Amino acid sequence: MGDNPSRSVNANAGGAGVTARHARSAGTGVSPIPPDDLDGSRPPLGGGGALPKKARFSMETGFRALSTAAGAMVLVIIVAIAIFLVSKAVPALQANTENFLTYKAWFPNDSEPKFGIAALAFGTVLTSVIALIVAVPIALGIALFLSHYAPKRLATPLGFIIDLLAAVPSVVFGLWGRDVFLVPVQDFSVWLNKYFSWLPIFGGDGPFGRSIMLGSLVLAIMVLPIVTSLSREVFQQTPLMNEEAALALGATKWEMIRTSVLPYGKPGVIAAVMLGLGRALGETIALALTLGIVFNISFNLIQNGGNSIAANIANTFGEANATGRGALIASGLVLFAITLVVNMAARAIIYRRREFRDSAA
């Protein structure tokens, strides 16, 4: 007991309340307590009091500020684009003598400008939707084959080739569609008109060729690698235990995919489809080279015709006067709004699906 230092009756016993005599008796390894702290009024040196003060600026603070600035910059750019489009489009819209939203024709260079977005917006949405209807089932099939059926030595080079297709310039697809793919589509259109002309979408007396069908098929080929690559990556992220559990319960390969892979990857597939739709809505040169450039609203898919906002901008910008350029910018504003609505709808669908999945878990 004599060797153990006696403790002070101070409330800070065991900390700074050890007397100076006991500190000196503890050896040279213990620093003596300053004379002005014999009553233990100072905070203890150990515990939280020994931690260094937080720096005013650290890497974490800098990274957080940089990330916030980057996110805010995206919003600033979007707002700046919208302001530019509106400011350039307003004079042309004021000079327009027809209803911009319902008029079908496009004569902005006349002495009395007359132009509308109805036919262009209809053609843009129609070609994009048909392209997705054609491309999405094929893309999902390819993605499932590469991720769950094909051997690795085959899946790897095929996946690489599909990724390369996404890098092909759109003008190459457009020239190929106009010079090579036109004849097979024209023959197929004649066959559809011969046997299915009772359907309005395949009716008409011709001519056939540079039609909504040709533009949509070329657009589907362009969208295919994007949806395929993203869907493949999503399917490969399915937890292995989910797949093994389904197989252990006696499910076949397809039943395992239907009950484990597809539900898990649904939000990612929706995001991939919406990204492909955004690519289709904004496509310019390929549609300018494959559509018939007609300003009308028709669901006929095989007759010459069709137009889109982006293709019209590419075809008419060079000969447009000041009012015509303003009209084209106004049509670009409509395309900007359509793309924004599509992306917001996609984010809402993914968010609701994520909430449902998290609540079920």
Side-chain angles (χ1 to χ4, degrees):
M1 296 294 292
D3 296 335
N4 295 331
S6 60
R7 298 186 179 274
S8 172
V9 295
N10 192 287
N12 293 322
V18 180
T19 62
R21 177 177 58 82
H22 294 146
R24 287 193 297 269
S25 64
T28 58
V30 178
S31 301
I33 297 176
D36 58 348
D37 193 32
L38 296 177
D39 58 350
S41 59
R42 285 188 177 183
L45 296 177
L51 295 177
K53 293 183 179 180
K54 183 179 180 180
R56 293 184 178 180
F57 182 82
S58 62
M59 292 298 296
E60 181 180 357
T61 304
F63 181 74
R64 183 185 297 112
L66 183 61
S67 301
T68 304
M73 184 60 66
V74 174
L75 298 178
V76 171
I77 292 174
I78 293 176
V79 172
I81 292 174
I83 293 175
F84 166 78
L85 294 176
V86 171
S87 62
K88 296 296 183 179
V90 167
L93 293 176
Q94 292 175 343
N96 189 16
T97 58
E98 296 290 343
N99 190 307
F100 177 69
L101 298 178
T102 59
Y103 190 63
K104 301 177 185 179
W106 191 265
F107 304 106
N109 299 323
D110 293 350
S111 57
E112 294 185 358
K114 298 180 291 183
F115 56 90
I117 200 68
L120 296 176
F122 175 81
T124 300
V125 175
L126 182 61
T127 53
S128 301
V129 171
I130 295 176
L132 287 183
I133 292 175
V134 175
V136 170
I138 300 175
L140 294 182
I142 297 174
L144 287 174
F145 173 75
L146 295 178
S147 60
H148 287 82
Y149 285 96
K152 188 175 181 179
R153 60 183 180 181
L154 178 62
T156 301
L158 284 180
F160 180 72
I161 293 174
I162 292 174
D163 293 339
L164 283 179
L165 285 176
V168 177
S170 59
V171 64
V172 176
F173 283 106
L175 292 174
W176 173 80
R178 185 192 67 180
D179 299 336
V180 178
F181 200 44
L182 174 63
V183 176
V185 171
Q186 191 173 24
D187 295 338
F188 183 59
S189 299
V190 172
W191 182 85
L192 289 173
N193 179 259
K194 181 178 180 180
Y195 294 100
F196 299 98
S197 59
W198 47 275
L199 292 174
I201 58 175
F202 300 135
D205 299 326
F208 307 117
R210 297 186 61 179
S211 58
I212 292 290
M213 175 175 288
L214 177 62
S216 299
L217 291 178
V218 172
L219 207 56
I221 297 173
M222 299 177 64
V223 170
L224 184 66
I226 298 176
V227 181
T228 301
S229 298
L230 295 178
S231 299
R232 181 191 62 196
E233 295 297 329
V234 169
F235 293 152
Q236 289 177 342
Q237 299 302 319
T238 305
L240 186 60
M241 62 177 64
N242 292 8
E243 300 180 5
E244 292 177 347
L247 295 174
L249 292 175
T252 63
K253 192 69 171 289
W254 164 243
E255 290 173 341
M256 179 272 293
I257 291 175
R258 184 171 55 86
T259 58
S260 299
V261 178
L262 294 180
Y264 182 85
K266 188 174 182 180
V269 171
I270 294 175
V273 171
M274 291 303 173
L275 186 61
L277 178 59
R279 169 69 188 274
L281 289 172
E283 182 51 46
T284 304
I285 298 301
L287 292 182
L289 294 173
T290 55
L291 293 179
I293 314 301
V294 176
F295 293 91
N296 66 346
I297 296 179
S298 174
F299 286 96
N300 192 296
L301 303 182
I302 59 176
Q303 278 192 313
N304 283 3
N307 206 344
S308 70
I309 296 176
N312 183 61
I313 294 175
N315 287 326
T316 62
F317 191 85
E319 59 188 20
N321 56 20
T323 304
R325 288 191 294 271
L328 293 175
I329 293 175
S331 66
L333 179 62
V334 174
L335 181 60
F336 177 77
I338 293 175
T339 306
L340 189 63
V341 169
V342 168
N343 282 279
M344 292 176 62
R347 299 302 301 178
I349 293 173
I350 295 172
Y351 181 75
R352 291 184 59 183
R353 178 66 186 176
R354 185 179 302 166
E355 278 190 337
F356 172 77
R357 186 178 63 184
D358 293 343
S359 63

